Structure formats: structure tokens, C-alpha cells
Amino acid sequence: MKEKRKTRLNKTQGTKTEFLGFGAFADTATSSNSQPASLSSNKPQGGASLRWSPIYTGKDEALALLFTRLLKKDTTTRTKALQELQDFFRQDDIPKKQQVDALAHFLFLYHSKLTYDSSSTVRAEALVVLALAAARLPKAFSTLAKQNNQQVLGMMYCCHGDPAAEVRAVANKYVVVEEAEEENDDNSNTKAYTITDMQAGIWDYVERILSYGRASKMQEDLFATSLKSANSNSSANSKGGGKGGKGNGSNTTSGELSENQKDLLEETFERVVGTALSGLQVWIQQHGLIGDQDNDELCQRLTTQPSPVLWKTLSSPKSSLRNRTYALLSTSCQNATAIILDPPGGNGFSQTLPQALASEKEPGNMTSLLEALLAFLAAHNKRPGNSPGLNAATVTKHLIKIFKKSCYGASAAQWGPTVLPLLAMLPDQVEILTAVWKGKEHAIRLGDQIAIARTVSESAAFFLLKKNSEEEQNNHPRSKDLAELWLGCLKNFLETELPPKSGPVRQAQLQLGKAMAAELRQLEIACYDRPTCAVYTISDWFWQEQLRPCILEAEGYAALAVLVQELRMPPKAETTASDRKRLSSILQEKFRKVLAAYQTRSGDVPTVDAYHVMIAILQVCGMGEEEEVNGGISMEKFLMSDVLRWMVIHTSSISVQKQTQALAKLDFQLFGICAANFSEEVYAQRFEAVLREVIAAKCRLSLLLAGLLALLESGIPVERVRCNLLDEFAIQVVKDAMEIGESHEEEKDNEVKSFLQTCAGLKGTPALVRQSVLQAWVDEACPSSGSDDAPVVANTVPGPILETLLVLSSNASSLQADEIHRIALRSWCQGGHEWDELAVELLLNDANHLSTVIAKSSTILRSALVAKASKARESNAQKDVELWSDMARRLMRFGKQEKGAMSLLELVALGDISLWQSSMSRDFLFCCLMNIFSEILTAERLELLQSCGAQNDTPFVVQLLMSLSEASVGGAGSIRAAQRKDHCAQLLAVLGGKTSLRRKTLESWLIAATSELRAFLQAQDLSGVRKAVALASQLCDLMVDRVKPRDVFNPEEDDAEDASEEFDRERIAKMIVPALNKESFSSTPWRSCAAELASVVFFQCGVGSERGIGSLHYDMFQLLQGSVGRLRALLSDHGDTTVETVVQELMLLSLSCGLGLNTPEADWNSQLMTFDAEQITASVLEYHGAHTSGETVSELDRAVFSWLITSDGALGNNSELRDRALVCLYNGAISILGSGDSNGSDMDTLLALRGIQIALVASRKYDSNVANLGVQTVMRVMEGFSLKWEHSIKQHGIIGQDFDENCHPISGIRPAWRSLSRFPDIVSSMVTRDQDLLTATCSEFADTFVEALTAEDKRWQAFRLLEALARSTQVLGDPTPNEATSRRLAQWTETMDTEEKDELEEDVETTSELLPHRLMTEIESWSDEEYSDSVHHEVIIGRMLAWLACLSFIDAFVRKDPSYRPSLCSYIDKSGAVDSILNLILLHTGVGTDRSGKASSDVDLDALIRNEAMVNKMELASLVLFRTVEALPTLSRKWWESECPKVYTGPIRDYIEAHIAPVILRSELERLKYATIKNVFGTMTVTGSVTTREITAIYIQDEIKLKVMIRLPSFFPLRNAEVDCSQTLGVSAKRWKLWSLQITMMLNNQGGTLQEALMLWKENVDKEFDGVEPCPVCYSVLHLKSHKLPELECTTCSNRFHTQCLTEWFKRSGKTQCVICQQPWAGTRVKK
């Protein structure tokens, strides 16, 4: 640390290590021995006490701290300190004395440290401080600056040459020297320094810096650091000099500098010296040498005595310093010639410059050296004789050497401009120029080669054109040498390939061509007009013998084209056209030669470069037709033979040649040039002839258009392009496009659009066709028709044509109003961006067009709606809906702009209720309405409906809802209405439903509905009455929650909130009750509707809290009691009562009690029956028994069945009556299900299923004695489901299309048995709560369930039933395989021996006993085909479900008896099902694709059983992968290793590791935990961990502690489990290794579970401790598959073997010898 705190006094310039006193800094110059004598005689002025101070002597403590920070090593700290010092000198309120003290110290710091700082920022900021101080304290600064020979001024000015841009910027801004002015005694004008002072300081400073010579000497002097006396700790102390080390004087003394320090020292030396040289160069460049030799001592010395150090760096080893010295020399020769030429001996340049030429090899210095040489020669030529000149021969010799080496790789673009001036001042121009040309071979960069060629051509042309002396004129060899050099450049240019892309090289090549063309023009002129030039004397030789073959033999057409194009520049005025015969004849001959190459075959076409050559030649000199007899070619022949042929080839769509717009343009450009001088008549004939041939060849529009535009660009007037043939062709283009329709090819569409719009003049060019053509386009695309729906049924107008017509319509002068309307209507019908971006804007800009188009559009829409609605059953009806809806939406969005009395829905005809109530298909209208609503907010939907006009004071929305209601006298429609699934309920949901629709709005609708109900009653419209009742029921559901039993019977228990809701219910009920009276239940024709309306009041609204006569409660129950009384009377009267009357009254009472037909079913109706329901039920059953035949299902059967459904909960505890009722329900259901060929969607089937579900619940609840009858009934249900009920309903068009609350269509139509019946509830009940019933009823139909897995509507329920059957583990069938499996078994066993065949047959028989035969046939068939994308979606899902069911059967039976596993696995392996199904699901899991992130990780089979939404390919595929790996791990690993595509192996492994393996491990551990709880393992303890994936089993046997540890890899079972039994004490290594092998084989080869493996190990251990020896083949006591003991004993060695093991051994070894003793087998079977 002490070394780092050395005094700063020993770092001043010129001081030694000892302190000399402050006075030493007053007048002395540097004391370094290398310092030269002062060049200036200026002495300090202004007082002896004002001197630099090595320490701050002021009293400002803050400033003292600031100066301390300037000495820190951190650059940021120093920079901030300098910026604060700048602020200090800017302040006017600080005493100048204080600022002078600071300046005195700062000048010392700047002179000794800051100017050399390695940080450019520090140097820049320090310079700013000096500039501010000079401006603030000019007198003090002037005095202080004169110390040390004013070198500080030189330091400041030399900053103009600093390598850092920021330092130079500061110097340019602040260090500005004005020209000398007359002395002024006024102190106010005192300057900090004069120009003379600055010059003296610069020269003194520069010579001092240059005097060091090497870095070490500069280091010793500037920073007072001796390299000889440093200690050995330099490496540690030198680290501080990185950022400001040497530059800020903080370097430490050292004996041996490190390499890093040496590099830094050299860098500092190079920077400081280079800055001094550049600074001096800037001074000389701007000011030259101030003063004269007589009056100025400095000038006298510089011009009379050669400087010993100024040009020392010419021989510096550092290339950058040499470069700066060359630049200084060049500047000095131009602006300070005296210091170069005046001193005696001229500073020795006659020797040093040739030496530099000979020794300089640095490419970056060559340009500066040549410029210095040129400047020196120029200066010497101006003042010859004052100083020794250069030896021309020596210079030439060195230049030849340099140029032959291409200036050692220097950029020719930089040194090239110096060649011609140098040649002009040297005698041997040809030799030097030849060396330059030879140097091209050493140029690596193509740009340098081009620059050399340009330099040589420019120089050679100059000397060829220069006025020569008489001697030079006669020197023909010299002239030819120069000409050959120029011609060599021309050949090189023509042979060099022109770069295809724009760039500096291409630009340089083009500039070379331009220059050589100009030179060629000048050479041609000189051959006629300048006899004194060199080229004149060799003109014949030059043109005929050299230039002509050069151009004719040139193969580089691209370069030649550039050259000829530049020749188009007009020649000088004195040269006439006739004077250019030589060049023109050569070019015309070249034209004929180029053309001849493409006339051999008809398919030959010129290249682009050949085109450019021919075009350029034609433009420069023509074809020379007058010479046709001498080998020329006529323009007519060239045009109609060659050009026409090329035009056809380059535009025809059937051409096989390369076609581009560029080639087509060139063809037409040639035509334009050739025909430019034709008369109007001749041009028209030729143009139509050419155009006719091009069109006949089926030209491509884009290429033809490019050619036509090329004609205009070449100067052909548009009138010459327009013609009848082009008009006819433009019309035909539109006709052809209309016939084809939408091409759906963007390229073709753009081609047609561009052609039409350009022809119409819409692309910024004049129109190429006449006005009549535009009208023909409109008539073709948008014909006028009297039919209102004509635009809808018309053919689609292709987008390019329609867009063109719309753009034309925007031009008012182009088309008539009727034409514009037709175009706008056509665009409205089609939509698309043409309508949105063009038509809308067109109409909005013209109110008349707007109103007309809206009116016509509305009429068109209405007609189209009526026409399309009648075709709703057709297959394309959905497309019609979408088309119509799109049109309607466009009109509605657009109709908002037109203010009128008609609402938007009325505008599109959907607001006309008469259409909804007509006989046309309401499905079509509803689909259109939903399509429109799908893009409208919920609130806006209601506003649209409410804006439609009311009819008969009934709101449109109410009439619409009733027209959409599907209420009926019975059938699926009525159930849809009751279950809120009809279109009426869907519209209410779309309008917001219960959450969004306001109560006030709903009440108004209810009032309107009841009003309509009364109107329907008066009109005897029973259908309307039913719909009104159904609508009222749905509206009640939206307004209030359904009533609870206590609301009817115990309203006094309601709290305040319930009371308020009760009040609302009562108010709603009173809106309905006026339509109910006794007559309604007794004599009116709508009795059933009245009963349902009463059910709405009872079960949805309630009867209010009031009691007594006159209350709602009283009136409603009186109506009910009346109905009960009439029924009792009818049942007791056995005389005149007809069955029909009983049926009517019984149905009326059932509907009143909540049976539900068009209204919801009631789930608490038993509590409503305050009458004696048991007595009525008994009477009904008795009456039914007396009046039914039992042969067919009668109306009485249905009525009784309905009553029993309704009264089921009111039977109480009367078991006898309940059993009778259940028997009647079961028998009735059996009769209904057994009658006819029901498809499961008729009303009887739906009613039967409801009755069965109720009966099953009652049987289970009361433990009924009619369970067998229930089994028969459910079997009848399963029979219908499997064999009779429809798999799906084919949708005809859009009939029956439903929508969700977001107006999205619900795909497909579900059969009523699935969507409306209780069948799903029956299945769920059996699957979850009644396994015995399911087993008894479904086992028989297992095969049909498998077949149903491919039916979309049945597959989920079928899978649930199969899954439940599997879990029941009931043996399903005959062990004898079916016919299909038997055939496959025969194929499998063809090559097997007897024992293998028997074993496989036994496995198949076992499997046939456990799995449904149809399931076996299904999975066996998968191996017959390879999966592809063509497999139907339903088949894929069916296979996945079948496989999941198969795995469930395998799992269930293996858990029941693990001995089933080998047989099942053997069969599955042989069938190839695992490979087939896993290969199938790979395409749907998303694993290994860009959908891998979406791959389902849900592997819960129970979730699939509960949720039908999981029946999709991705969910099922993931579940199949999981279940296969879980149930069949060994077969899964086998597939992964051998059959899985390689691209999937990695992703599958990762997926199993992340999603499947952890779940399997948790499941296995749960099973082990459960087995432990159930004491399955006995005394063996088993533990496991999910984290470590280790399972440990400890078993104590005969005081021996046996321990086994199983480790599962992270992606088990794809990698084998590891088994370790080595920690078992007291057991031999051989034995525990055998145990490890047994467990490993069970887990890794047999696919066993952990529990099975551990139990097998335990049983083996038990047997071994009982004395049973393991089989020598499998090393196990129990056989892994059969779990049998060894039963075959060798009579020789007495070892016992498993039968299967020994058989396998004999087969594999090929001999029948004992495994152990190797004797012929003669074993015996031992007794078990």
C-alpha cells in the first residue's frame, strides 16, 4: 500500500526522484537528457510569482478534495471530477484569485498526467477545463501557458489529431486559433494565446515527443519512472494501470515489465507520438508556417537547419506512425514547402523517400506513401534547384516493384487516383503502367481488379489522347503499347461477369463501363479530328485489327450491353453522325452475329443479356438496313420472324420455355424500337398481327400486360396500343373468368385483376381499352334481370372482376347509375373484402345509391328466404343458411346508415311473423336467426327482436317464441319442450335466459302469452293453446325457482326472502289462473292443456300463502278434487262407463299431478295427493285387470302406466299394493318395449323407460319381491339398446338443428332414447349401485356391446356397460374360441411343435372364457391392416374403447387370480394388438409433435366412465397409452424397443416419465398398502416411497432376515427394474441371486405387478425352506406361469424340473439330455 501512495511530486515532467522545490517549475524546460534545445525564445511574462504548482496551494477544501480525485485510477471518478472543475471555471461569482490558484495546479496536472491519460473521456474533459479556464482567465492563462516553452498550447492543439473522436470534437469546438491581429493595449481584449504562441508551442511539443524515439525513453521522461531501479513486485503493482495506469502517471516502478505492461506502454507511445504528428499536420494544413525567416526565430531555424527528429518516424517500425509521417510530409509539401526544400540537403528526402518506397510493405500505408511522393515531386517541380531531387530511375524501379505487387494488397480504389499524376511527372509511363496492369494478377478482391483496370484504362486513354510532340507522334510502338493496355482493359471488362445483385462491385463495374464508353467515344473523335494525338497515328490498326475482333469475339453480353448503352450518350457537337462509321459498323456486325445465334432453331430465344445488347445496338446505330444486300437484315423480316417468335414463346401458357415478365418486356421493347418509325397504318397492321398471334397462343395475362406496358415505357403512344383486337380480348378474359368461377388460386386471381385494372386505366397508366369494353364487363358479370333473387342465384363473380368493377364504379364518369347498382348488389351478395373495402365506401359516398341498394337488397333477401326455406331438407341447406345469413348481416350492418321506419330484422325479412307462422320450414328461419345472432351481443339480440312491430298488440318476440315451441299432444317434441330443449327454449337462452332477461320483460311476455292463449281458445286452435301453455311454463321457470313442497303446504315457515319470492310466485300464478275453471277440466276440448297449466301453477308457481274460500290455494285444490271425484265415480260405475272416458280422466289427473307432457315433470307430486291415492291406485289396477286383454298395448295401458308413474311416491308402506303396481309397471314396460319395431325414440318407449327407472328405484328402496321381473324388464331394455334402437339419426339438411346459448350449432341429432329418456339414468344406476342386476342382465349382450362401440350415440353407454361387466369378473362365455379366433389360432400354430401348440391353445381357451368373443375378434383383426389417415373417425374411437375394455377385463381377472396373466399376455402378444393400437394412437396423443404441449395428461379411467366429453381421440389416445403401459408393461416395452417409430421413442419415453410412470408407481404402492392392511403378505412387511422409487420387503424365516429392494427407473417399464437381495444375511450368494432373478423375470419379462412378484418370491422362499429345490432351468421353485412345483425328476442325477422348462430346454438345445448330468433323458414324473 505504501508503494501505491508515493508522492506525486516525483512524477512531474523533467524532475528526478528528489524534490527540487517549487521554484524549479517557474522557467525551466524539461530536464530530460533527450530533450532538445528550445525552439522558442519566449519567456514567461506577467510576474514571477505566477507559476505552475505541483500541489494545490489554495484554501478551498472542496477543491483540494476534487484535485485528489483527479489522481484516482478509476476513470469515472476522474471524469466526474473534471466535470465539476468545469462548473468551477464557469462560475462568475468565484474570486479570480481562487480560480488562478486552481489553474496553476491544473496546468501542472495536465502537462504531466492528464494529456497522456489512456481514457479518451478524461482527455476530452481535461481539454474542456483548459478551454473554459482560458476563456475565464485569459491573462493568467497566457502567463502560465508560456512556461515550459508554451508546450501546453501545443498539447492542446495536437488534440486535433487525437485518435479518439470525442477528443477531436472538443478540440474543434474549443481550441480555435484566429489569425494574428494588431496589438491592442486594451486589457479587455487580452487573449489567452496568440497564433504565434500556439505555433511555437506546437513545434516545441512535437519535437520533444519525437525526440524520444522509443517507448521506454518516453516513459522514463514523461512519468519519471526508471525501468532500471524497479523492484521485483511489478506484476502485482502494475494491475492498476489498466484503465488509467500509464496515462495518468500511476504506474509503479518495476525491474522487468510484464508482457501486458509492455503492450500498454507501446500503445501509449504510439498514441502520443501519433497524436503529435497528426496535430502538427492539422496545423500545417490550416495555417502553414507563420512568420518569415528574417523576423521569426522559429521560421529561420526550420528553413535553415534540417530537423534532427521531425522526419525520424519515416523509418519507425510502427506502421501507424509511418503512415502519419507520410501524411505530414504530403501536407508539408503543399502548405509549408520551405521546411521541405529550403534547408540545406532538403532534410535528406532524396535518400529517405526511395528507401521508404523500397521498404514499405504495409498495405494501409501505400496510399499515403504514394500521395507523399506525388506531393514531393510536385513541390520539387515547382521549385527546382533549391534542394536535391529524386533519382527518376530509382523511383521508377521501386514503383514498378510496388505496382507489380498491387501495392501489397492495398485498396486500388485509394491508390489508383495517384497513378496518372505520377506518370505525368515520370518519364517511363508505359513501363510503370504495364506494371500496374500486371499487378492486377496479385489483386485478390474483385473490386481492386476493377479499380486497377479503370486506372490503367484512364491513364492509357489520357496518353493516347494527349497532344504529343513530333518525336512522340512518330513513336508508334509506344502508342501501340498504350493502345494494347487500353484494349486489355476493355477485354477484361467484357470478359468479367457482371454481378447479378446490386452492390459495390457491380457499381464499380458499371462505372468502369461508363468510363470506357466515354473513352471510346473520345478515341473515335480523336481518330478524325486530332492528328497530334497518339491514337490518330494508329487508327486503322486500332479499329480494324484490335477493337473489331475484341468486340465481335466478346462473349460477355452483360458487360457489352453496359458498354453499348453508355455509348448512347450524345457525342460532342463537332462530330456528326456520319463520322461514327467505324464504331457503328462494328456494332451492327456484332448485332448480326448475336442474332444469328438464335435463328438456328425455332425454339431458340436470346438471353436477357443478349436482349440488352441488341436493344442497345439498335438504339445506338440501328440495324444498318441499307447494307442488307451485303449481309444485313431488314427490319420487317426481323420483326415478323424473330421478334414475333420470341414474343409467343415468352408469353404463351403452353410454352415450356422459361418465362418472366422481364423477357416479355424485352420482346415488346424490341418491337417498339423496330416499329417506332412505321407510319400509323403500317404500325397498326403489324401490331394487330403480332397481338393476334400472341393471343392465339393462349398468352398469360401478366406477361402480355408486361409487354404492353413496355411499349408505353419505350415511348409508343397509348393510341397506338389501343385496338379492336385488344378490346375483344379484354371482354373474352371476363367471360372466361365467369365460366371458371372462383379459381382459389391467388396467383391467377392477381393476374386477372392486374390485367383488367391496367386495361381500364386504374393502375396509373392510360386506359388500354375503350369505354364500350367497360360496359361489356358489367353486362357480363352483373346482368340485368327482372328476378328479385337473381343476384343470389347468379354465378359467383370472381373477386378480381368484381374488385375491378367496384373501382370503376368509384369513377363517376365510367359507369351509369344502374350499372353501379348492379355491381353493388352483386358485391353485397358475395361479400368479402370487395364489399367491405370498396362497395361500402362507394355507397356511403352517395345517398341515392345507398337508398336504392338497400331497398333492392331487402327485396332480394325476402325472396331468397322464402325460396330456400322450402329446401331445408336438402343436403346443401346449411350452406344456403350461411350464404343467406352472411347477406343479411351485411345488410343489417349497412342498413344502420339508412334511417327508416323498418327495423333491421324486418329489413332482412326475419321480423315478419307471418313467415314464421307460415307452412314453410321454421328450421331454416331459426338457423338463419341463430347465425345472425352469433355475431351480436346478447343485449343487442333482444333489442333487435323488440324493435320489430307487434301484431294484434302481441309483441313480436312472444309470437316468435310460440311459433318456435315444439309443444304437441305427445312425442319427442313435447318432451323437448318439457325438458327445455326445443327451439323456443334455445331462443330464450340465446336472449340471456334467467341471468340476463329482466323480470319486467318476462312478465310482459307472460301476460301476452296468456292473452294469446285465450285468443287460441276462442279460435279453437288447440295447437296454439299447447304452445301458449308450454311458453308460459318456460317463462315461469325464468322468473322464479320452482316451488318446494313446503311452499304449498307450510308457507308459514318461509323466511323474509322466501316470502318475497312467494309473493312473486303468487302474482305470476294469478296471471295464469284466469284461464282455469271447472269447465276447463270437465267439458272443454283442451282439458289436457288445462291440466298441464294447473301443473304449472302447482309445481312452478305455487298456490300462495292465503288459505280459505276464494284463495288461490282453495280454488286450485277444488279443481284437483273435482277431477279426483269424477275419476272415482267412473271407476266405481261398472255400467255405462266407457274405457275411453276413464282413460281421459285418468290422464287428466296424471297431468295435473305432474306427469309432464309439454311441461316439466314433478319430482314431489306424491305430497300433492292429499286425496287417497292408494285407494285410487287400487281401483285403477282392478279396473285395468278387468278391461285389458294383454295382447297389445292399449290406451288404457298407457293411461294406467302414466298414473302409476305419477303416483309411485304416494303408495306409502302398502307392500302388497306396491308390488302389484311394480308388476304392472314392469309388465307394461315389457309390453311396450316388445311391441313393434321401436327405434327407441317413440313416445311409448320413452314412457316405458321412465317407468322402468322409477320401478327399479322403488324395488331397490323397498326390497321388492318382484326382482326377477325387473331383471327381465332390464334385459328387454338391453335387447332394445343392442339390437333395435337406432344408432344415430341422419340429419336431413338442417331439420332439427339445435343451438347452444352462444348460438353455436350443436353437431348431430341425438336419438330420443339417448337425449330425452331415462336410459342413461338406468345405466348409471346399474353401473354405480346395482352390479348384480347389471351382471344378470348384460352378460348375454357383451358381444353386441362391443359392436356398439363404433356407433357414436351408443359407444359411451356400451363402454360403461362393458367396463362394469369386466369389474364383475364373471366368466362370460364358452372356452371354445369362436370361428374367427379358431382360424387365426390355426395360422399361429402352423410352425409350432406339439407342446408349444398345446400351450398356446390352452392360453386361447382361457382367454375365450374370460373375454367377449366379439372383442377377441375385433382386436385380432387390427393386425390385418396398416393404420392410415383414411381410417374413419368412428372406427378409431371404437378401437380405442374396445382396447380399454379389453384391458379392464385383463386387469379384473388378473387381480382375481394372477395365474390368468400368462395366458392372457400370451394371447395378446400373439394377436399383435399392442403394436397395432399403440401405433394407432401415436397420431392422436400429440406426443412428439407441435401438439405435444396439448397432449392430455388425464389418465383416469373412472373419469371416462363418468364423463362422455372425454370420448375424443386425444383424451382416449392418452388413456390408451397409460392403460396399456399399466396393464401390459412387458408388451409395451417390447413395442417401444422394436416397433415404435424412432422419431417417437424419445417423446414417448419423456411422456411416460412425466405422466404415466409416477401414476403407476402411486397405484402400485396403494395396492401394496391395501394388501398389507388385508394381511395378504402375512409376516412379510412391505414399504415403498414415491420419491426414491424404491420398494423394500422384509421377510423373517427361521431366524433369517430376508430383505429385497426393488428400484424402479423413472420411466419404468421402458427400462428394467433393479432387484437387490444382497442385504440378506445367512443366505448364500447363489441363492439370493436366484431370488433376484425370479423377481426380475416376473417384473421385466412376465409383466407382473409388484405384489405378484413379492408374493411369488415369498412362496418360493417358503418352499425352499421346506426343502424343495428350485428348477435348474428357471431357478425358481414355482413356475412363473403355471406356479407349479418341479415335477419331472432325472433318474440319473435326481434333479427335478418344471415340465415347461425342460420342454423349452430340449427345443432350444436340439437334444434330449438332462440339463445337469447331460445323460439321455429317462426321467419320471414325481407325485405332488
Side-chain angles (χ1 to χ4, degrees), residues 1543-1655:
V1543 69
Y1544 286 103
T1545 53
I1548 287 290
R1549 180 196 60 214
D1550 297 339
Y1551 182 79
I1552 289 177
E1553 182 176 6
H1555 301 291
I1556 296 180
V1559 179
I1560 293 178
L1561 179 58
R1562 285 194 297 269
S1563 176
E1564 289 289 320
L1565 293 180
E1566 287 294 329
R1567 291 180 185 176
L1568 293 176
K1569 182 178 179 181
Y1570 180 79
T1572 301
I1573 295 174
K1574 294 296 184 178
N1575 200 27
V1576 174
F1577 297 124
T1579 58
M1580 182 172 65
T1581 59
V1582 180
T1583 58
S1585 170
V1586 176
T1587 304
T1588 62
R1589 304 186 64 83
E1590 293 181 351
I1591 296 90
T1592 303
I1594 299 176
Y1595 183 37
I1596 300 177
Q1597 179 68 276
D1598 295 340
E1599 299 182 357
I1600 297 177
K1601 183 178 181 181
L1602 309 176
K1603 182 178 181 181
V1604 60
M1605 179 179 291
I1606 303 174
R1607 298 182 185 89
L1608 300 181
S1610 59
F1611 45 94
F1612 177 82
L1614 300 185
R1615 285 291 181 265
N1616 290 338
E1618 300 174 3
V1619 182
D1620 182 10
C1621 298
S1622 61
Q1623 300 184 33
T1624 298
L1625 299 178
V1627 177
S1628 65
K1630 178 181 179 181
R1631 177 170 291 188
W1632 62 255
K1633 286 181 180 179
L1634 291 178
W1635 291 342
S1636 298
L1637 181 60
Q1638 294 168 9
I1639 300 174
T1640 300
M1641 292 180 65
M1642 173 59 76
L1643 291 176
N1644 299 330
N1645 298 335
Q1646 300 297 325
T1649 64
L1650 290 172
Q1651 180 179 342
E1652 294 172 10
L1654 292 174
M1655 285 301 298

Side-chain angles (χ1 to χ4, degrees), residues 1288-1308:
S1288 60
I1289 297 178
K1290 181 180 180 181
Q1291 186 170 3
H1292 299 281
I1294 56 170
I1295 300 299
Q1297 179 64 62
D1298 291 332
F1299 295 83
D1300 61 16
E1301 65 274 9
N1302 296 317
C1303 301
H1304 297 154
I1306 300 173
S1307 60

Side-chain angles (χ1 to χ4, degrees), residues 331-506:
T331 303
S332 300
C333 289
Q334 299 174 55
N335 299 325
T337 312
I339 67 174
I340 302 297
L341 302 179
D342 289 348
N347 286 311
F349 288 115
S350 59
Q351 289 81 31
T352 55
L353 271 179
Q355 289 175 2
L357 288 172
S359 61
E360 185 62 69
K361 300 294 189 297
E362 179 63 34
N365 292 353
M366 296 309 301
T367 301
S368 299
L369 175 58
L370 293 176
E371 289 175 350
L373 175 63
L374 177 61
F376 183 83
L377 291 174
H380 190 272
N381 288 342
K382 289 180 181 179
R383 297 176 60 183
N386 291 356
S387 62
L390 299 178
N391 187 312
T394 303
V395 172
T396 300
K397 174 183 175 183
H398 293 314
L399 286 177
I400 290 174
K401 178 181 178 182
I402 289 174
F403 288 138
K404 281 186 176 181
K405 297 294 186 180
S406 186
C407 291
Y408 302 101
S411 173
Q414 295 179 3
W415 60 260
T418 66
V419 173
L420 182 55
L422 281 173
L423 292 177
M425 288 182 283
L426 293 172
D428 299 324
Q429 296 100 342
V430 176
E431 290 78 1
I432 297 176
L433 197 57
T434 303
V436 175
W437 182 241
K438 290 182 178 180
K440 176 177 171 292
E441 300 175 359
H442 294 275
I444 299 176
R445 296 181 294 271
L446 182 58
D448 288 340
Q449 296 177 9
I450 296 173
I452 291 173
R454 183 168 182 181
T455 298
V456 173
S457 70
E458 180 184 29
S459 301
F462 172 80
F463 289 110
L464 285 172
L465 295 169
K466 185 175 73 72
K467 182 178 181 181
N468 295 329
S469 62
E470 184 177 351
E471 180 182 355
E472 291 175 329
Q473 292 180 22
N474 297 324
N475 190 357
H476 289 224
R478 175 182 178 277
S479 300
K480 289 185 177 182
D481 290 341
L482 290 171
E484 287 178 349
L485 285 171
W486 190 90
L487 289 168
C489 294
L490 179 61
K491 290 180 181 179
N492 178 262
F493 170 74
L494 296 177
E495 293 172 358
T496 302
E497 184 177 356
L498 190 66
K501 295 184 179 180
S502 178
V505 175
R506 179 182 175 87

Side-chain angles (χ1 to χ4, degrees), residues 973-1164:
S974 63
I975 296 180
R976 279 169 54 86
Q979 295 184 5
R980 308 307 189 233
K981 295 180 179 179
D982 65 343
H983 285 173
C984 176
Q986 292 171 30
L987 179 58
L988 287 171
V990 165
L991 295 177
K994 194 169 185 176
T995 58
S996 299
L997 288 173
R998 297 172 58 189
R999 174 72 66 83
K1000 185 177 180 180
T1001 301
L1002 292 171
E1003 288 181 358
S1004 67
W1005 292 354
L1006 181 60
I1007 293 173
T1010 55
S1011 176
E1012 283 291 291
L1013 188 150
R1014 289 191 290 271
F1016 289 140
L1017 286 175
Q1018 293 177 1
Q1020 298 293 309
D1021 185 356
L1022 298 184
S1023 175
V1025 172
R1026 294 189 189 95
K1027 292 184 177 183
V1029 171
L1031 176 58
S1033 173
Q1034 294 192 24
L1035 293 175
C1036 289
D1037 265 356
L1038 294 178
M1039 287 187 283
V1040 292
D1041 293 332
R1042 293 182 184 178
V1043 70
K1044 305 178 185 65
R1046 69 176 187 180
D1047 297 325
V1048 177
F1049 302 105
N1050 302 297
E1052 63 277 359
E1053 298 179 2
D1054 294 344
D1055 54 21
E1057 183 177 353
D1058 291 337
S1060 174
E1061 188 173 357
E1062 177 64 30
F1063 175 77
D1064 291 336
R1065 288 201 193 96
E1066 186 173 358
R1067 183 161 52 84
I1068 295 169
K1070 288 180 178 180
M1071 298 178 188
I1072 302 174
V1073 167
L1076 295 173
N1077 49 53
K1078 292 184 178 180
E1079 289 76 15
S1080 302
F1081 280 81
S1082 58
S1083 60
T1084 61
W1086 63 286
R1087 296 174 66 191
S1088 62
C1089 299
E1092 286 203 89
L1093 197 59
S1095 174
V1096 171
V1097 175
F1098 277 124
F1099 301 106
Q1100 292 184 245
C1101 303
V1103 293
S1105 58
E1106 297 182 3
R1107 297 292 183 267
I1109 298 176
S1111 66
L1112 178 61
H1113 182 278
Y1114 178 82
D1115 292 341
M1116 292 304 300
F1117 274 94
Q1118 284 297 312
L1119 290 174
L1120 185 62
Q1121 290 293 343
S1123 179
V1124 172
R1126 287 192 298 275
L1127 179 61
R1128 284 176 174 169
L1130 291 172
L1131 293 175
S1132 61
D1133 185 5
H1134 299 290
D1136 298 332
T1137 302
T1138 62
V1139 174
E1140 181 180 358
T1141 306
V1142 173
V1143 168
Q1144 290 178 357
E1145 289 297 336
L1146 188 58
M1147 286 298 299
L1148 184 66
L1149 183 60
S1150 299
L1151 290 172
S1152 300
C1153 293
L1155 173 65
L1157 186 60
N1158 297 298
T1159 57
E1161 303 171 2
D1163 54 359
W1164 55 273

Side-chain angles (χ1 to χ4, degrees), residues 257-273:
L257 293 178
S258 65
E259 290 300 324
N260 186 38
Q261 288 177 314
K262 289 180 181 178
D263 292 341
L264 289 174
L265 182 58
E266 292 295 334
E267 290 174 8
T268 303
F269 174 77
E270 189 172 353
R271 173 173 53 80
V272 172
V273 176

Side-chain angles (χ1 to χ4, degrees), residues 1430-1499:
S1430 61
V1431 178
H1432 194 271
H1433 167 78
E1434 302 300 334
V1435 175
I1436 294 173
I1437 292 183
R1439 289 185 180 182
M1440 292 182 185
L1441 291 175
W1443 181 247
L1444 290 173
C1446 178
L1447 294 178
S1448 295
F1449 277 103
I1450 293 174
D1451 261 2
F1453 283 109
V1454 168
R1455 290 183 184 178
K1456 180 180 179 181
D1457 185 356
S1459 63
Y1460 284 136
R1461 180 181 295 279
S1463 297
L1464 290 170
C1465 289
S1466 174
Y1467 166 76
I1468 294 295
D1469 185 22
K1470 202 65 183 176
S1471 70
V1474 171
D1475 295 346
S1476 299
I1477 195 65
L1478 291 182
N1479 286 332
L1480 170 66
I1481 61 100
L1482 278 181
L1483 300 178
H1484 305 289
T1485 58
V1487 176
T1489 66
D1490 55 356
R1491 298 182 294 124
S1492 58
K1494 301 179 182 178
S1496 175
S1497 58
D1498 189 350
V1499 290

